Amino acid sequence: MINEIKNCISPKLLALATCVCIGHTGMVNAQEMGSVSNDSLSNVGAYLHGNQPSKIQLPTETLNEYNDRMQWWKDDKYGMFIHFGLYSLLGGEYKGEVTPKIAEWIQNTLRIPLKDYQKLMQDFNPKNFDAKAIVKLAKDAGMKYLVITSKHHDGFALFDSKVSDYNIMNTPYNKDIIRELNDECKKQGIKFGLYYSHMIDWENPYNYIGDSDRLRDRMNLVDFNPKKEDRKKYLEEKAFPQLREILTNYGKIDLIWYDMGEGLTNDEVREFVKITRELQPDIIISSRIGDFPEEEDLHRDMLFDYYTPSDNYYTGKSLRMPWEMAGTLNGSWGYRKDDHEWRSADFIIQSLIASISRDGNYLLNIGPDGTGKVPEESAKQLEIAGKWIKKNAEAIYGTHSSPFPWNYDWGYVTQKPNKIFLHVVTDVKTDKIYLPGLLSKVTSAKVVENKQSVKFSQKDGLVTINLPTKKIDDLGYVIEVDLNDKTPNIDKTITQGQNGVIRLDRIASDYNMNRKMTSWDFEVKKPGTYKIELISNEKGNHHKPEWVGSDQEGSIQIGGKIIPVKLTRDKEKINPTLFFYKEITSNIGTFTFDKPGIYTLHLKGFDIAAGKWKKGLGLDRIELLPVK
């Protein structure tokens, strides 16, 4: 077990991993770990919340049992998120003031007194909320599971809670929306999950998060004095009892989506896990039950089942454990009446395929208005995307990530045993696409949608696919490539494409944080002069993207030559898969390769940060383009 941990986690967590391990026999120390079966999972709390052992014993399972429990989620790929509550009535505006942030945070952002916000209960009567229609929309969209906000940060429950009167049964609607949706999901064959804000609650006078400025900003400081708050009281009197309600009163719950768990102690997180596992043994738990771990620190022994990166963002690479990108159809999660910037069907498809091409899922949010109606444009785009997904379902559900450690400008790759799927979903200007490094023999190739065969050739590790001459679909199409190997045999050497372009993706690079150096080894087949372009993502908060890291200066070193790098905004385009982001292209200069061969390119001097909130350059790739 220790050797497995050493191979999977960063050095800074290795010491923590040896502190505590819970196997089938309970607590063991580092000396005893050799006797623990390699097939048992340890639930090491130290990965998230320090290295102190806990007295709270958690259920354990074998790796095979974990994989069996997770299989439906990994196969289903695509889910619907629903943010709905009292905030939906306001639509992002209160007494003429428009919130500058996401709509469901309006009570906190505009500092609305609780007594005034609670008055919304008198008007909450979402007569247009149609559970049957919403579940059908999810199904028509190609979604396989659904998650709804049973309680968001405002503390208002959409279910019949005996723990708190602050719930939907004390509104004019007087019906349990959670029960309505749960029953309908079971009828229509959709998996059902619940979002529960376990750490934040602006209605509860005892809800205390922490003393840091960031955590204090999440608390209700309008109505309550943090010096008088008592988190233990909040947890024992509201959070834990309500959790037991939603995990007891609705039969089988497939998934629970905790949120904003930062600040909870190790034991508090473990108590949430303990209650959840005891009441719903087969349930799947999201990562936001505790602090945000770094991607490089992810490990199966954490206290959750899958990882959720920052909203509307993922770093573009496969991770060490299952993960899910949670995205919005516009700029807010809860309904916002002034936001009509709806994501199009092609954006939805590309975001979904980009996620699953790196072994992730996609959870896409709708925000019904105060009457319960789903905005028409969001439903329209979901249904358009759903028709495309249905026609290409074989290449989506039950697939695994791309076998190639780089990306393509024409789209994405997924795989199943003995086949790979080429998702041609961008505007391709050529009549051929190329797969360098595919050593497995190709036996056939055809369009998934209509089974039309396409011509291909294979030579020296390069596969050339002739694209269909007749238009298949405005949103793109998928080509199935059948192989003689169950798992594709790939030469992972980065090599020059047939169009002459050398593409150096960040996800295929070797980054040394301490030396501020990113490196690639690659093969040049055609000597000549090449233009160097650096493409990075403009990133920032929800509505104010910032080109982070563009003020840095460094150099590119290649073939013994040093080329100064000062980033300039020469071209820009909307990122096809990340909401709020742009791809910025900087022209760096040129370099001449005198002969073919293997070269190394070093990008030096830049802090590279793929994460959404991290300071540093959001590098996507470097391209070397032949000068004609």
Side-chain angles (χ1 to χ4, degrees):
M1 178 72 78
I2 279 290
N3 288 333
E4 292 178 2
I5 294 175
K6 285 181 178 177
N7 291 330
C8 293
I9 63 174
S10 65
K12 68 181 179 180
L13 289 184
L14 183 56
L16 303 183
T18 60
C19 292
V20 53
C21 179
I22 302 176
H24 288 295
T25 57
M27 196 74 74
V28 294
N29 59 35
Q31 286 73 32
E32 295 171 322
M33 290 181 73
S35 64
V36 179
S37 166
N38 284 340
D39 199 34
S40 74
L41 301 177
S42 61
N43 292 308
V44 179
Y47 288 112
L48 290 183
H49 300 280
N51 59 3
Q52 296 301 313
S54 173
K55 294 181 180 179
I56 299 175
Q57 299 295 294
L58 301 176
T60 58
E61 62 186 352
T62 67
L63 184 58
N64 287 337
E65 289 170 339
Y66 165 74
N67 287 332
D68 289 344
R69 184 165 55 83
M70 289 293 295
Q71 196 61 54
W72 73 262
W73 185 89
K74 290 191 288 186
D75 286 344
D76 285 357
K77 304 299 182 186
Y78 189 27
M80 174 181 279
F81 214 175
I82 303 174
H83 275 65
F84 188 55
L86 295 180
Y87 46 80
S88 305
L89 281 172
L90 298 178
E93 181 180 345
Y94 179 71
K95 292 185 176 181
E97 184 177 3
V98 176
T99 179
K101 298 183 179 179
I102 44 183
E104 67 279 7
W105 277 71
I106 192 168
Q107 180 185 356
N108 175 272
T109 304
L110 298 188
R111 299 180 65 80
I112 302 174
L114 179 60
K115 61 180 178 61
D116 293 335
Y117 188 83
Q118 286 179 322
K119 292 177 181 177
L120 295 172
M121 289 181 66
Q122 302 169 14
D123 300 317
F124 192 70
N125 191 17
K127 294 181 178 180
N128 292 326
F129 188 91
D130 187 338
K132 182 177 180 180
I134 287 176
V135 176
K136 183 178 184 300
L137 172 62
K139 199 167 184 177
D140 290 344
M143 295 159 162
K144 299 289 189 178
Y145 58 101
L146 181 150
V147 180
I148 184 171
T149 51
S150 65
K151 175 180 84 78
H152 207 270
H153 306 329
D154 60 2
F156 177 75
L158 285 179
F159 57 93
D160 184 2
S161 176
K162 307 305 180 186
V163 173
S164 168
D165 291 336
Y166 198 38
N167 72 75
I168 197 167
M169 304 307 290
N170 294 313
T171 70
Y173 189 69
N174 192 34
K175 287 187 288 185
D176 187 333
I177 276 181
I178 300 305
R179 186 170 300 283
E180 290 181 344
L181 266 180
N182 178 50
D183 291 346
E184 197 56 48
C185 280
K186 286 178 170 56
K187 289 179 183 177
Q188 298 193 39
I190 297 290
K191 297 287 187 180
F192 185 68
L194 294 172
Y195 169 110
Y196 187 79
S197 176
H198 63 312
M199 182 58 167
I200 302 178
D201 192 309
W202 299 324
E203 178 266 345
N204 191 276
Y206 304 112
N207 179 243
Y208 175 76
I209 302 174
D211 293 322
S212 72
D213 290 341
R214 181 171 61 179
L215 294 178
R216 284 172 61 87
D217 285 345
R218 300 174 185 175
M219 292 158 50
N220 182 354
L221 302 182
V222 175
D223 299 285
F224 308 124
N225 184 344
K227 294 181 179 179
K228 297 181 180 180
E229 294 174 0
D230 182 347
R231 185 164 76 215
K232 182 179 179 182
K233 194 174 180 67
Y234 158 69
L235 293 175
E236 292 181 350
E237 294 185 0
K238 186 171 186 182
F240 292 152
Q242 277 197 334
L243 179 61
R244 291 187 177 95
E245 285 183 322
I246 60 176
L247 296 181
T248 301
N249 296 340
Y250 302 96
K252 181 177 172 56
I253 303 297
D254 298 296
L255 183 152
I256 187 158
W257 219 94
Y258 290 107
D259 199 14
M260 293 285 193
E262 182 182 2
L264 288 171
T265 67
N266 180 31
D267 280 354
E268 288 168 343
V269 172
R270 283 174 170 268
E271 188 62 32
F272 276 108
V273 174
K274 184 173 184 288
I275 294 170
T276 304
R277 291 272 183 243
E278 287 178 347
L279 295 177
Q280 295 281 346
D282 295 327
I283 203 168
I284 293 173
I285 300 176
S286 73
S287 64
R288 297 193 189 179
I289 193 169
D291 293 342
F292 258 96
E294 299 292 334
E295 284 188 356
E296 61 267 23
D297 296 333
L298 291 175
H299 188 266
R300 179 50 215 116
D301 285 331
M302 288 180 168
L303 298 176
F304 50 80
D305 295 311
Y306 69 92
Y307 176 65
T308 302
S310 299
D311 300 341
N312 288 291
Y313 193 88
Y314 82 112
T315 59
K317 61 183 180 181
S318 298
L319 303 179
R320 290 191 180 100
M321 69 185 305
W323 63 274
E324 173 188 75
M325 178 166 71
T328 54
L329 273 163
N330 60 351
S332 186
W333 299 84
Y335 173 70
R336 185 173 173 132
K337 58 188 175 184
D338 66 344
D339 186 351
H340 306 289
E341 191 180 353
W342 303 108
R343 299 301 90 189
S344 61
D346 63 329
F347 178 92
I348 294 170
I349 290 168
Q350 289 208 45
S351 297
L352 170 64
I353 303 303
S355 297
I356 67 176
S357 74
R358 296 299 169 192
D359 256 350
N361 280 23
Y362 189 38
L363 184 65
L364 185 56
N365 180 74
I366 63 169
D369 66 19
T371 73
K373 181 182 178 182
V374 178
E376 291 182 6
E377 187 61 25
S378 64
K380 175 184 175 182
Q381 296 304 319
L382 284 174
E383 289 170 344
I384 293 172
K387 292 176 181 178
W388 187 94
I389 291 168
K390 183 178 180 180
K391 290 185 291 187
N392 295 284
E394 182 185 357
I396 296 171
Y397 306 115
T399 60
H400 299 286
S401 66
S402 170
F404 301 100
W406 48 71
N407 292 323
Y408 292 98
D409 56 4
W410 45 259
Y412 310 93
V413 181
T414 58
Q415 65 171 308
K416 283 182 177 178
N418 293 104
K419 61 186 65 179
I420 58 174
F421 299 99
L422 315 180
H423 299 255
V424 186
V425 292
T426 62
D427 188 14
V428 180
K429 303 298 184 184
T430 62
D431 59 354
K432 295 180 178 66
I433 59 176
Y434 305 94
L435 296 173
L438 181 58
L439 302 180
S440 297
K441 182 180 178 181
V442 175
T443 58
S444 65
K446 59 180 177 290
V447 178
V448 169
E449 180 178 331
N450 58 18
K451 307 306 179 185
Q452 170 192 344
S453 295
V454 297
K455 294 181 179 180
F456 66 91
S457 61
Q458 186 171 18
K459 183 180 180 181
D460 299 330
L462 176 69
V463 177
T464 302
I465 305 289
N466 291 53
L467 298 179
T469 55
K470 293 184 179 180
K471 193 171 187 178
I472 304 295
D473 193 303
D474 289 338
L475 296 174
Y477 52 89
V478 183
I479 296 175
E480 176 188 321
V481 177
D482 297 315
L483 309 173
N484 66 341
D485 291 328
K486 183 175 182 179
T487 302
N489 184 11
I490 305 296
D491 178 356
K492 297 184 179 181
T493 303
I494 300 173
T495 189
Q496 188 169 14
Q498 290 300 106
N499 58 358
V501 175
I502 300 168
R503 177 176 171 136
L504 307 176
D505 290 281
R506 175 189 53 79
I507 61 173
S509 69
D510 179 21
Y511 177 51
N512 187 312
M513 183 185 303
N514 295 328
R515 297 179 63 189
K516 292 187 179 181
M517 184 171 74
T518 309
S519 304
W520 297 262
D521 295 326
F522 58 94
E523 181 185 18
V524 174
K525 295 181 177 180
K526 299 177 181 178
T529 300
Y530 288 75
K531 179 182 178 182
I532 304 172
E533 292 186 344
L534 188 151
I535 297 91
S536 60
N537 283 311
E538 186 174 57
K539 60 183 183 178
N541 61 27
H542 282 281
H543 296 290
K544 296 179 180 179
E546 179 184 357
W547 193 17
V548 179
S550 59
D551 56 338
Q552 301 177 35
E553 295 185 20
S555 66
I556 282 178
Q557 297 184 19
I558 181 172
K561 182 179 179 181
I562 298 177
I563 303 171
V565 176
K566 183 175 176 59
L567 300 181
T568 52
R569 197 182 189 99
D570 297 310
K571 290 188 295 185
E572 63 180 65
K573 71 172 186 177
I574 300 297
N575 188 298
T577 62
L578 298 180
F579 198 9
F580 311 117
Y581 296 83
K582 288 182 179 178
E583 291 183 355
I584 311 299
T585 298
S586 300
N587 297 324
I588 305 304
T590 62
F591 181 82
T592 300
F593 296 97
D594 295 325
K595 58 183 180 180
I598 302 295
Y599 290 80
T600 300
L601 184 148
H602 301 293
L603 176 66
K604 291 187 172 183
F606 288 88
D607 287 319
I608 307 299
K612 180 177 179 180
W613 302 110
K614 294 181 180 178
K615 285 291 183 182
L617 182 66
L619 177 67
D620 186 85
R621 65 190 184 276
I622 291 176
E623 291 186 359
L624 308 178
L625 302 94
V627 177
K628 297 179 180 180

